[in-house]
Amino acid sequence: MRAFLRCFALCAVLSSAPCLASDATPADSPAQPQANRELAQAHFARGIREYRARRYKDAIDAFLLANDLYPSAAISFNVARAYEKLEYPAGALRFYRDYLRREPGASDGAQIAKRIEELEDRLRQRGVQQVTILSNPAGATLSVDGRAVGITPWTGEVLPGNHGVELSLRGYASTLGQFELSSHRAAELEFQLEPAEQKSAPEPLEANEPAPLNPAPPPAASAGEPRIEPPPQSTFLRVLPWATLGTGALALAGAGYFELSSASDEDRARRASTQREALAAIDSMNSSQLAARVLVGVGGALAVTGGVLLWLNPGTTEKPSQVALGCGATLCSVRGSF
């Protein structure tokens, strides 16, 4: 069997020549279709051509497509070189670090490590530093300081200092953590996710357990006590509380819809085959979550307002007449304030 990347001509990073790992041969693995092997090789070859033509952005796109099919340290090296040509230190730093993570015993490891320090210093001068967050298993939704940022494995730039993280993956318990990011060096964190505990079903009630008693009805007014009738009200005042409650219910129903949409986007992010698809799903999830939160706030406010209007409106509830009788029948009947 032939190795996937049979021979790579890796050159010194600090050289001015456009050096790349340029020989790629797919492995004869029965686990991968022949079409996928050929497609990966075609993307890799196109990346080499685009790089040599100085179309570095197109070269990066081609290399990443090949990497989606057959991840390799050599492809990470090539992507880092292309980012350097684009004068994008964050991208170059990310993929040089990924190169050493995939190939810890690389023959040019010392040179790459020195280049990484130079790129870290360039980020420090901009006031940020790079962090990579991994999870086992991968594919967890990641939030940094309460803001969803992507799917693990994730690499990004944040301000130096203390930060909180949260990782969530269906079937696993949510994991919280903290880290302190230095201004001089990039960081790498890995979290082990624990399976979620299965919740047991509630125990059924015993057959002979008595049902809860209904509350006793309020005592009826005595025969000699005058009845206080509320004044007639307009149709608008009678309808307003129910209309407010109905609008609040619609808003809460809309919040439920966006919550379901957010969960669907989260599932789509986990199933994404590329980082680009995952980030698109995360953006859609964030929009749905924001809409759900706004609708929950509006629906809750309308529900409370409708409840207050029902309580204050004597034409739609018995509560005001009870309060009037409690204030004293003689006073009310004499003054006619009700």
Side-chain angles (χ1 to χ4, degrees), residues 79-96:
V79 174
R81 290 290 298 165
Y83 271 124
E84 281 204 280
K85 292 296 184 181
L86 290 174
E87 292 294 326
Y88 185 54
L93 175 60
R94 171 185 175 180
F95 282 94
Y96 276 138

Side-chain angles (χ1 to χ4, degrees), residues 66-198:
N67 191 68
D68 289 340
L69 296 171
Y70 286 93
S72 76
I75 294 179
S76 295
F77 178 88
N78 289 353
V79 174
R81 290 290 298 165
Y83 271 124
E84 281 204 280
K85 292 296 184 181
L86 290 174
E87 292 294 326
Y88 185 54
L93 175 60
R94 171 185 175 180
F95 282 94
Y96 276 138
R97 293 173 61 223
D98 189 63
Y99 168 66
L100 291 186
R101 186 185 306 114
R102 292 176 171 180
E103 191 72 26
S107 59
D108 58 347
Q111 293 174 318
I112 299 297
K114 182 178 179 181
R115 186 61 184 144
I116 285 176
E117 291 181 1
E118 295 172 354
L119 293 169
E120 288 171 336
D121 189 62
R122 291 181 64 179
L123 290 187
R124 179 190 62 80
Q125 294 173 10
R126 297 182 179 183
V128 296
Q129 196 51 262
Q130 193 171 94
V131 59
T132 297
I133 299 179
L134 312 170
S135 70
N136 185 23
T141 301
L142 173 67
S143 296
V144 177
D145 297 332
R147 182 175 63 91
V149 295
I151 304 296
T152 58
W154 176 83
T155 298
E157 290 68 53
V158 297
L159 296 174
N162 293 316
H163 299 276
V165 297
E166 180 178 4
L167 298 94
S168 59
L169 181 63
R170 180 164 296 181
Y172 292 83
S174 295
T175 301
L176 301 177
Q178 290 185 339
F179 68 93
E180 182 177 0
L181 182 62
S182 167
S183 62
H184 294 79
R185 292 290 175 265
E188 181 174 310
L189 307 170
E190 184 170 5
F191 293 88
Q192 178 67 44
L193 304 183
E194 299 296 335
E197 295 182 0
Q198 297 295 331

Side-chain angles (χ1 to χ4, degrees), residues 307-318:
V308 172
L309 290 175
L310 281 175
W311 188 83
L312 294 176
N313 191 340
T316 57
T317 178
E318 293 297 324

Side-chain angles (χ1 to χ4, degrees), residues 298-336:
V298 173
L302 289 174
V304 172
T305 302
V308 172
L309 290 175
L310 281 175
W311 188 83
L312 294 176
N313 191 340
T316 57
T317 178
E318 293 297 324
K319 186 65 176 177
S321 61
Q322 294 174 1
V323 173
L325 289 174
C327 72
T330 303
L331 178 61
C332 295
S333 60
V334 171
R335 294 188 179 182

Side-chain angles (χ1 to χ4, degrees), residues 259-281:
E259 282 292 343
L260 292 176
S261 177
S262 173
S264 176
D265 291 333
E266 181 179 349
D267 289 340
R268 184 160 57 90
R270 293 195 185 97
R271 295 193 301 268
S273 58
T274 65
Q275 186 75 5
R276 290 183 293 275
E277 293 178 4
L279 291 177

